Amino acid sequence: MADHQAVAVATHGGGSGHATVRIYVHVAIVLAIITALEVATLYVPGIPGPVLVISLLVMSAVKFFLVVGFFMHLKYDHPVMRALFVGPLIIAIAIILAVMALFSAFVLLPRVVL
Amino acid sequence: MADHAAAAVVAHAAHDPNIGSTGLDNRKVGMWAFLGSDCMFFGSLIGTYLAYKGKSISGPLPHQVFDIPLTSYSAALLLASSLTMVLGLSALQESRVKKAAMWLFVTAMLGLHFVLNQVYEFTTFVLHHDLKLSTSLFGSSFFVLTGFHGAHVTGGVIWLLILVMLAMRGKLDARDYTKVEIAGLYWHFVDIVWIAIFTVIYLIP
Amino acid sequence: MATQAAFMHGSKAETETFWGTVWSWLTTVDHKRIGILYGTSAFIFFLVGGIEALIMRLQLARPDNTLVGAERFNELFTMHGTTMIFLAVMPLSAAFFNYMIPLMIGARDVAFPRLNALSYWIFLSGALFLNSSWLFGLAPDGGWFGYANLTTAQFSPRHTIDFWMLGLQILGLSSMLAGFNFLVTIINMRAPGMTLMRMPVFIWMSFVTQFLLVLAFPAITVALILLMFDRFFGTLFYAPAAGADPLLWQHLFWIFGHPEVYILILPAMGIVSEVLPTFARKPLFGAPVVIYSGILIGFFGFGVWSHHMFSVGMGPVADAAFSISTMLIAVPTGVKILNWIGTLWGGSIRFKTPIYFSLGFIAMFTMGGLSGVMHASPPVDLQQTDSYFVVAHFHYVLFGGSIFGLFSGIYYWWPKITGKLLDEKLGLWHFWAMLVGFNMTFFPQHYLGLIGMPRRIYTYAPDLGWNFWNLVSTVGSFLIAVSLLFFIANVIRSLRYGAVAGNDPWDARTLEWAIPSPPPVYNFARIPHVQDRDDFWLTKYGDGHGGAPRPKGAPVTAAEIAAIHMPPTSFWPLLLALAVAVMISGLMISMVQVAIGGLLTLWLMYKFAVELHRPAAGHGH
């Protein structure tokens, strides 16, 4: 029994809490709703481009962090895990943006054509 | 105080070589490091897609070939599979191995359904829209990006089915929580990459 | 002792025969043995790369020379660069990561010993695969940086580029697996009391390097995947005729390539940060600052990559942005140099071979850094790029820096690894010959570059004024070769007749010197309890503020040692590595081979994963 408990403690890696099945189901429902909203936004007539893009990005970011925080348990986990994921995520996003700028995906950098 | 805790952990670690001085499991730390790395991998592929977006000189355009309803359904499948995954993990923690195996199997099947949808989508593109790897920059970047994501999903499905098989043979129980947990982390990651791809590639015009 | 070694490295019967010994090395999961494997392989490939360099230098010794032609010369500079970076410097660093990281953090092995072995065997497969191209007359010839679209099937129809492309994928996999392993090891397996800021600076630099490895290699993996799809499956990523931008390759490559150069230099900086305090008998000056500088260099190293592309026409905004970030990153680097000098200042310096190489590192790396800062200015770089000035710059930082630093580590840790001392006289002959030879080879190249000699040319006309210094450079390169003969002689002599080293021949500061040389298989009979940085020094001499040396604990009992549990040997890493190599190399041969290799890989991954899934009773914890 002590062993079992030790295993349970160990396997939760010092996490300070734990999401319950109820929370998981609630998160899943929220994810489904947001997905439906995302698709619906696409069909809003006359929606300006930037508004569409920004609202889609915001909604997908919320979904992203809900899955990472709850399903992947990062909200409750040791800060080391958070650092191991968030650091590279920031670098990856920064590089995506830099590459987009360098390839004139948005007109930010006037480019010399030789 | 810190040293006291450290000593306790040392004593504990003597029982389980996977638990380190931080009290964390090596495999879990390793998996998070891997997922961070995979962010860079998919980041590079997404960056490539975005760099070439709108620059194809021929071939069908994205909005001409994308089937948003189908893709939304696929996105929902993966989100649902993330739920079934944590339900399976939860069941395993309570030592309900058969129930855990069932949820893992459902997760794998949802993932398999996703992959089959991808296969259907790819086939449609090739046969009905004449969009192949070699057709245009869009064809190249789309298929490689989503193809590698699909390969990740396939790998995850295989991993889950192996876990199911081990469980059915009585070789998986609550002791293996961490092993199933890291499979879950990988699976959720594959889901969030799709969240990004779905939005950035399919939804954003 | 024999029983202990046998228990750890294989059965008694196995290790007493020749083939038993071979098998025990093929199936080892011991980080110390894996470190020796990496180090030996790396040195051999260092010599291979060196020979490739000597042939180039012979060809360039005189104008209009006919030793090798243009094609062969392309192969030589491609393979020299690829070999030195991926098969020499990186695995030499890996040798030290493997051997030293567990020892310096007070651990018994790395987090994933079998994965560690797998990394090595994948590395060796990749190295052999890449070099097998010579045997087929298909050595890669597109430069070590393989710019598209020269490397696409249209302009490089032969398999030369395939060897390079697939070889790098295999090697990249090895590096990343090792990166994950050491990351987890450093995070999770430090001895009790060793907080992050109490870790030795070599561990910190290695830590940052592992992050760079796992975050930079995905970018080149993608760049190579795109090239692979273009070459094998007809995609258009690097096809300008279809609207593609050749700069895509350059960006993806250098997003990897710039962090890569920090991967190449940080371990050597870490070594220097250990050697100087030991031989100056002073703690590292401003150790936290050196650590933070290393972290800054690692992080911001991802923001400077396009300084390799100032001549491609990115536009003034991009040029300026990357110029600024590049100049900024010189700051933490310069800070470290000042800290090293501060370490020496006021120290009681013992001049032994390790510190000679570290001092050489500081001087040579500083020179390379100065030429590097020049490159950071786009207008200046427009003259220097693609000339021998750049060749001089990167050899000063990679050879004068990394290689000198790594040799410092070799001389420093040789006694720990082998239990024998290297000869000081031979060491100094090696050092001085190498220092003089190195500067003779590369210093004139600054001048040659500025008077107009381009890179990667196989010959030159006699009336350009380049003749004399090219000849000097060639003579210097042979002096480097001679210096290595001193080293090899030293190694052989030490292994045969070297003086016994003992635990702590240098009176050093860190944990690895607290245990026997060579260490027992389990490293530490009792895991140490760390109270400070340079903890071993404090156990010997107290805290320098009047505190006595720490009392030794009760002697270690045989029962304690018997209770130590080391991981058993395994042959799955070797087999899995072979399957991976078969799968990846199959891409340029036949999809049937890819399929077979792929299935084998999947099956072997499964066997690898379940090998320890339900351990037999007796191994249990």
Side-chain angles (χ1 to χ4, degrees):
Chain A
M1 261 312 107
D3 236 336
H4 235 285
Q5 283 170 343
V7 167
V9 164
T11 53
H12 286 121
S16 55
H18 203 38
T20 61
V21 168
R22 255 184 105 233
I23 294 184
Y24 288 146
V25 174
H26 286 176
V27 169
I29 292 173
V30 170
L31 288 171
I33 294 174
I34 297 181
T35 308
L37 279 176
E38 275 186 292
V39 179
T41 315
L42 213 54
Y43 295 108
V44 170
I47 183 170
V51 172
L52 174 63
V53 171
I54 291 181
S55 50
L56 285 174
L57 285 175
V58 166
M59 283 190 275
S60 62
V62 169
K63 281 163 58 180
F64 187 97
F65 287 111
L66 280 174
V67 174
V68 171
F70 289 99
F71 287 164
M72 296 174 86
H73 209 254
L74 210 52
K75 184 175 186 298
Y76 307 95
D77 270 331
H78 195 283
V80 160
M81 319 274 200
R82 237 172 278 154
L84 282 174
F85 185 70
V86 172
L89 180 66
I90 291 175
I91 295 178
I93 292 176
I95 287 184
I96 290 179
L97 293 173
V99 167
M100 285 174 71
L102 286 161
F103 284 83
S104 323
F106 27 75
V107 187
L108 207 63
L109 305 180
R111 210 171 123 183
V112 171
V113 177
L114 291 175
Chain B
M1 169 62 187
D3 286 345
H4 238 289
V9 172
V10 168
H12 187 264
H15 295 284
D16 186 345
N18 290 303
I19 306 291
S21 48
T22 51
L24 301 173
D25 191 299
N26 285 347
R27 297 164 296 185
K28 197 166 163 185
V29 176
M31 177 51 77
W32 276 111
F34 169 71
L35 296 181
S37 173
D38 227 10
C39 280
M40 285 296 291
F41 179 79
F42 280 106
S44 303
L45 283 173
I46 292 174
T48 300
Y49 180 88
L50 293 174
Y52 279 163
K53 188 164 158 163
K55 302 201 171 121
S56 297
I57 60 177
S58 65
L61 296 172
H63 68 263
Q64 294 172 328
V65 301
F66 283 158
D67 181 349
I68 300 297
L70 172 68
T71 323
S72 309
Y73 174 59
S74 287
L77 284 173
L78 277 189
L79 289 172
S81 74
S82 271
L83 175 63
T84 55
M85 181 73 224
V86 293
L87 292 176
L89 196 56
S90 219
L92 186 66
Q93 196 192 349
E94 296 161 7
S95 282
R96 303 171 72 170
V97 179
K98 284 279 186 291
K99 192 165 171 217
M102 188 254 327
W103 282 122
L104 290 180
F105 184 74
V106 170
T107 309
M109 288 303 105
L110 289 170
L112 184 60
H113 190 357
F114 175 90
V115 174
L116 291 174
N117 282 4
Q118 289 288 81
V119 171
Y120 171 76
E121 185 191 30
F122 285 14
T123 319
T124 311
F125 284 10
V126 172
L127 296 178
H128 291 183
H129 298 289
D130 214 17
L131 179 70
K132 297 189 278 286
L133 276 169
S134 53
T135 305
S136 61
L137 294 179
F138 169 55
S140 298
S141 53
F142 172 81
F143 283 119
V144 169
L145 168 60
T146 53
F148 268 93
H149 174 262
H152 274 71
V153 178
T154 308
V157 170
I158 295 174
W159 190 350
L160 289 171
L161 289 176
I162 289 176
L163 289 175
V164 170
M165 178 198 71
L166 287 172
M168 301 313 293
R169 288 190 189 170
K171 290 203 179 150
L172 200 74
D173 53 50
R175 280 177 291 171
D176 304 303
Y177 182 86
T178 304
K179 292 186 184 180
V180 180
E181 187 184 18
I182 63 175
L185 289 176
Y186 175 83
W187 189 259
H188 297 306
F189 179 76
V190 151
D191 183 14
I192 62 179
V193 171
W194 186 254
I195 291 175
I197 292 178
F198 179 55
T199 305
V200 170
I201 275 70
Y202 287 90
L203 294 184
I204 293 184
Chain C
M1 283 304 112
T3 29
Q4 200 169 72
F7 159 55
M8 305 304 180
H9 288 304
S11 75
K12 195 169 180 354
E14 278 180 355
T15 48
E16 281 178 355
T17 66
F18 172 73
W19 288 112
T21 307
V22 170
W23 184 248
S24 77
W25 279 88
L26 292 177
T27 58
T28 187
V29 298
D30 179 351
H31 71 97
K32 299 183 287 300
R33 284 195 160 192
I34 294 172
I36 291 172
L37 287 171
Y38 266 111
T40 313
S41 316
F43 189 70
I44 292 173
F45 284 111
F46 180 61
L47 296 178
V48 169
I51 291 173
E52 286 157 355
L54 290 178
I55 298 175
M56 286 194 284
R57 282 307 334 157
L58 279 174
Q59 164 63 14
L60 292 172
R62 285 183 340 195
D64 287 334
N65 208 356
T66 53
L67 179 65
V68 295
E71 240 315 295
R72 178 72 72 223
F73 197 87
N74 292 350
E75 294 169 359
L76 286 168
F77 68 66
T78 303
M79 288 299 276
H80 168 76
T82 308
T83 296
M84 285 307 196
I85 289 173
F86 294 101
L87 307 185
V89 175
M90 284 178 79
L92 215 36
S93 299
F96 287 121
F97 297 154
N98 267 282
Y99 208 105
M100 289 303 157
I101 288 180
L103 295 185
M104 292 175 93
I105 64 174
R108 293 225 161 89
D109 207 311
V110 295
F112 308 112
R114 291 177 307 149
L115 194 72
N116 202 13
L118 179 66
S119 290
Y120 173 73
W121 294 115
I122 292 180
F123 154 73
L124 189 64
S125 319
L128 292 174
F129 171 75
L130 179 64
N131 276 283
S132 71
S133 61
W134 285 116
L135 301 175
F136 297 108
L138 289 170
D141 54 357
W144 86 272
F145 40 79
Y147 272 15
N149 52 344
L150 171 64
T151 48
T152 58
Q154 181 186 3
F155 296 105
S156 291
R158 294 157 67 227
H159 282 309
T160 57
I161 299 301
D162 296 329
F163 273 103
W164 179 80
M165 176 178 72
L166 299 176
L168 282 187
Q169 293 285 48
I170 299 172
L171 293 167
L173 180 61
S174 163
S175 290
M176 284 206 282
L177 291 176
F180 296 128
N181 215 342
F182 292 118
L183 271 179
V184 178
T185 304
I186 293 173
I187 289 172
N188 223 18
M189 297 185 71
R190 285 167 279 141
M194 187 178 277
T195 61
L196 285 175
M197 288 311 279
R198 289 180 186 167
M199 295 197 308
V201 175
F202 173 72
I203 302 297
W204 261 110
M205 297 303 114
S206 305
F207 193 35
V208 175
T209 304
Q210 307 313 318
F211 276 108
L212 292 176
L213 279 167
V214 305
L215 297 180
F217 266 91
I220 193 178
T221 303
V222 168
L224 290 169
I225 285 175
L226 302 185
L227 180 62
M228 203 173 77
F229 270 80
D230 269 24
R231 287 181 66 85
F232 297 143
F233 304 122
T235 49
L236 304 167
F237 292 105
Y238 305 120
D245 193 333
L247 290 190
L248 177 66
W249 169 270
Q250 294 191 34
H251 280 295
L252 288 174
F253 181 82
W254 288 115
I255 287 171
F256 152 77
H258 196 80
E260 167 68 5
V261 314
Y262 294 121
I263 290 169
L264 295 171
I265 199 66
L266 282 175
M269 290 182 162
I271 292 174
V272 169
S273 304
E274 298 299 329
V275 168
L276 291 180
T278 297
F279 290 91
R281 296 182 73 77
K282 259 182 81 194
L284 182 68
F285 185 85
V289 173
V290 177
I291 291 171
Y292 294 135
S293 298
I295 296 172
L296 281 175
I297 290 172
F299 188 72
F300 289 112
F302 278 99
V304 303
W305 78 86
S306 285
H307 66 223
H308 298 270
M309 298 164 61
F310 280 147
S311 64
V312 306
M314 295 184 296
V317 178
D319 280 354
F322 282 102
S323 172
I324 292 171
S325 60
T326 305
M327 291 187 188
L328 282 177
I329 211 172
V331 173
T333 316
V335 163
K336 288 177 144 194
I337 295 179
L338 293 173
N339 280 71
W340 290 321
I341 295 175
T343 306
L344 293 166
W345 186 275
S348 162
I349 302 177
R350 289 169 301 147
F351 284 94
K352 301 280 180 187
T353 312
I355 199 176
Y356 277 99
F357 275 100
S358 282
L359 294 172
F361 170 99
I362 294 175
M364 300 299 105
F365 179 77
T366 302
M367 289 171 66
L370 290 173
S371 54
V373 166
M374 287 184 228
H375 292 323
S377 163
V380 177
D381 188 58
L382 280 180
Q383 182 191 6
Q384 297 165 346
T385 194
D386 256 15
S387 76
Y388 260 82
F389 192 90
V390 181
V391 178
H393 158 69
F394 64 69
H395 281 95
Y396 265 84
V397 288
L398 284 180
F399 193 139
S402 301
I403 294 289
F404 271 71
L406 288 166
F407 270 116
S408 183
I410 292 174
Y411 279 92
Y412 182 54
W413 279 313
W414 180 269
K416 176 55 54 185
I417 295 171
T418 62
K420 308 267 186 69
L421 293 176
L422 283 167
D423 179 70
E424 275 300 310
K425 275 234 302 269
L426 280 172
L428 290 191
W429 276 103
H430 170 199
F431 170 73
W432 287 112
M434 183 168 261
L435 187 71
V436 171
F438 165 78
N439 279 288
M440 255 181 93
T441 310
F442 294 108
F443 195 78
Q445 293 184 0
H446 292 103
Y447 175 67
L448 283 170
L450 289 180
I451 62 172
M453 184 174 178
R455 289 172 71 169
R456 303 181 216 116
I457 53 170
Y458 78 106
T459 192
Y460 51 93
D463 56 346
L464 295 165
W466 302 346
N467 308 1
F468 177 70
W469 290 114
N470 264 296
L471 184 59
V472 169
S473 182
T474 299
V475 172
S477 65
F478 277 86
L479 186 50
I480 295 175
V482 165
S483 78
L484 286 173
L485 293 177
F486 288 119
F487 173 71
I488 293 170
N490 205 348
V491 162
I492 295 173
R493 192 188 167 287
S494 167
L495 290 173
R496 281 206 183 149
Y497 322 113
V500 170
N503 290 20
D504 184 17
W506 307 122
D507 194 17
R509 316 178 71 86
T510 40
L511 284 178
E512 75 271 26
W513 303 103
I515 56 180
S517 311
V521 104
Y522 47 78
N523 299 345
F524 298 89
R526 196 182 285 152
I527 300 290
H529 203 280
V530 170
Q531 292 173 20
D532 212 326
R533 191 181 298 127
D534 286 350
D535 195 67
F536 178 55
W537 182 266
L538 297 176
T539 64
K540 288 192 289 186
Y541 297 112
D543 59 6
H545 297 299
R550 229 178 283 151
K552 293 194 187 347
V556 176
T557 64
E560 264 180 282
I561 294 184
I564 296 174
H565 203 79
M566 296 305 293
T569 57
S570 171
F571 50 75
W572 298 112
L574 180 61
L575 292 180
L576 180 52
L578 288 173
V580 167
V582 165
M583 174 178 68
I584 295 183
S585 60
L587 283 162
M588 72 177 199
I589 298 173
S590 98
M591 292 313 283
V592 172
Q593 182 177 330
V594 177
I596 294 177
L599 288 171
L600 260 178
T601 298
L602 280 174
W603 179 68
L604 287 169
M605 279 173 73
Y606 168 73
K607 298 297 290 181
F608 186 105
V610 297
E611 181 182 17
L612 301 177
H613 177 61
R614 281 287 184 265
H619 280 274
H621 14 81

